[in-house]
Structure formats: C-alpha cells, structure tokens
Amino acid sequence: LARATGDVNVRFHSLHPDPDHWTHSLVVPNGTRITITHAALGCIVSSGVVESGHCFIGGADTLYSGEEYVLAAQSDAHFERAEVRFSLRPGAQDVWLCLAWYARPIQLYVMSAEETDDSAEAYAQVQKVLRDNDVFFNGAGEADLPRPDQAWSVEHTDNVKAAGNRKTFQLIAAVLRMFPQLRCEVYGQTGPAVTAPVSLADYLDLHPTRDVAKCMDALARLRAEACMKALVEAGVPASQLFITYKGLAGELKVDFIPRSAHYNPTGAGASSDLPPLP
C-alpha cells in the first residue's frame, strides 16, 4: 500500500451555474464535523471540523491510495447527513459530496383583493388572542389515553388545559361575532410521523404504517371539527364556519383564519361538504 502524501481540503460551494443564485449564499456552519471512514474496516480514520466555510483533514499518516473510504458530513439543524464512497488514488482528486439542506417551511396567508380589510383586521385580532392562549389536545399516542377519541376532544384530561381551551374558544367567538359578514376557516394540522398510533389506526380501521397519511389526515380533520363544534357552542353560527385540514404537514396545530363571505376553499381537505371518515 502506498501511503497518501497529502492532506484533505474540504471546500463548500453551490453547483448552480448562476453565480447570483441564492444557493451560493448558503454557509456550512462552523463546527460541522466531516469524517473519513475506512470502508472495509468501518472505523473513522480521520476527521475535521468546518471553520469559516473550510475544513482541513490530516491524511498524510492515515490514508492509503488504492483503499476505499467514505467521506461524510454529519447532520445538524441545517442539512441531513451526507456521505459518498470513493477509492483514493495517487495525486490530486476531486470528491463531490452533495448536502441536502432542510427546507424551512414558511406559512403565508394570502388575501385576494376581493377580501376586505375586515378579513385582515379580524385575523389580526384572532392572532392576538392566540398569542396568549391556545387549543390543547391529548396526544393520540399517549399511553394512558382513556379512549381513542380523547385525542380530538377539546375537553383535555388536564383540567387546567380544558379550562384554557374553553377560554380560547370564548375569546375567538367574541372576535368572530364582531365580524358577522365574514366566514372563519378552522384549519387542523398534524406533524410528521412515520407510523400512526395503533389505537388511532384501529379506531379508523386503518393500518398504522401503510395508512399513516390517512390516519394523520383524519386526526387533523377530527380536531378541526371539534374546534368548529366548540365555536358553535360558544355562540358562532355554524354557517359562518368551515373546516380544512392537512396531516403530516409539519407543525401540530389548529388555526382560525377569518375569510370573506365568498371565499371558496380549494385543495385536499379543503371543503365544507366532506365525506364521512373511514
């Protein structure tokens, strides 16, 4: 075996051909660990950390030409773990390691020109309520859940949270009663999941893994329906409300979005005339 004669210099740059593209402004954070593992032995033979967009890894005493190695960037809050396997050859050599940066979802509420200033004002008031109040649900996977439908009941098993829910609905209802000319979208959303809680899947007569998307859609819808019912009980006309929902969408929440009277929801889970659940 011929011992390598040089070290490893790791540099980061975007492959996008346009030099003004936004990906060229991405910076790999300082402290990100880069490792080189011997492919056959499965052990790390050298490593380094990123500093100012560059990483130096000593290789003169640890790398051998003709051997196979794995170059890897460890995952962090910005990108997934990435690795590439390569055979080290004598002389200069380029090894490309592609980093998959995490997408950062930004939720925008866009109101058309047809929607009046009342919609924006009502939404601002609802968000003011939600800054200090929230709607709490028991987790569908909680071990001590008394029954599956408790996961979408606004009457939380924690009495303090249950009382907080009632207060939240009263405050939101008070805002909506100030704007009787508007409708309100009650939007349910669940977070990412690889498998659904077994109790939820059994209740819906679905498979917890194969049907995880259907399970999470159903949970998001059931929670939105529960919130809509609570608002009706708090004095909001049912005709003023409609629900939308999306499972596996990121953040776990229910939101309340005032809309103009002629607003027509579109897309999956966006209908006031929904089919029955499984």
Side-chain angles (χ1 to χ4, degrees), residues 6-237:
D7 298 313
V8 179
N9 288 301
V10 183
R11 293 182 174 85
F12 304 94
H13 63 89
S14 170
L15 296 180
H16 198 282
D18 182 359
D20 295 325
H21 192 262
W22 63 269
T23 55
H24 289 277
S25 65
L26 294 173
V27 179
V28 177
N30 289 340
T32 300
R33 189 174 182 228
I34 309 296
T35 62
I36 298 179
T37 302
H38 192 282
L41 299 177
C43 60
I44 296 175
V45 295
S46 194
S47 66
V49 295
V50 175
E51 292 183 9
S52 302
H54 176 261
C55 179
F56 171 82
I57 302 177
D61 297 324
T62 56
L63 304 179
Y64 293 85
S65 59
E67 293 289 282
E68 285 198 341
Y69 296 93
V70 176
L71 177 70
Q74 305 307 309
S75 64
D76 71 353
H78 301 81
F79 52 80
E80 300 174 355
R81 185 183 189 279
E83 65 177 44
V84 61
R85 186 168 177 151
F86 67 98
S87 180
L88 187 63
R89 62 175 183 264
Q93 180 177 355
D94 289 331
V95 178
W96 297 98
L97 177 66
C98 295
L99 301 181
W101 291 73
Y102 289 126
R104 297 196 173 208
I106 300 175
Q107 189 170 35
L108 301 176
Y109 291 105
V110 181
M111 293 185 178
S112 69
E114 296 177 342
E115 296 209 50
T116 66
D117 290 340
D118 288 345
S119 300
E121 173 61 25
Y123 182 70
Q125 292 198 32
V126 168
Q127 290 304 301
K128 184 177 179 180
V129 169
L130 295 177
R131 276 199 295 270
D132 300 317
N133 304 275
D134 206 345
V135 178
F136 298 96
F137 290 99
N138 287 99
E142 289 181 14
D144 56 349
L145 211 62
R147 58 189 186 281
D149 60 356
Q150 181 61 46
W152 53 88
S153 171
V154 297
E155 289 298 322
H156 199 285
T157 55
D158 183 321
N159 291 333
V160 174
K161 291 182 178 179
N165 286 350
R166 289 190 289 272
K167 176 185 175 184
T168 298
F169 291 123
Q170 289 291 341
L171 292 172
I172 293 176
V175 172
L176 296 180
R177 286 196 297 270
M178 294 169 57
F179 300 90
Q181 73 279 19
L182 299 179
R183 302 178 71 200
C184 182
E185 174 183 355
V186 183
Y187 172 66
Q189 180 175 290
T190 62
V194 176
T195 183
V198 174
S199 59
L200 174 64
D202 288 346
Y203 182 90
L204 298 170
D205 195 22
L206 295 169
H207 190 277
T209 304
R210 186 173 58 250
D211 299 321
V212 61
K214 291 182 179 179
C215 290
M216 293 300 103
D217 273 346
L219 181 59
R221 172 179 166 178
L222 287 163
R223 286 178 171 175
E225 289 178 342
C227 290
M228 177 175 167
K229 181 180 178 181
L231 287 174
V232 171
E233 292 175 351
V236 180

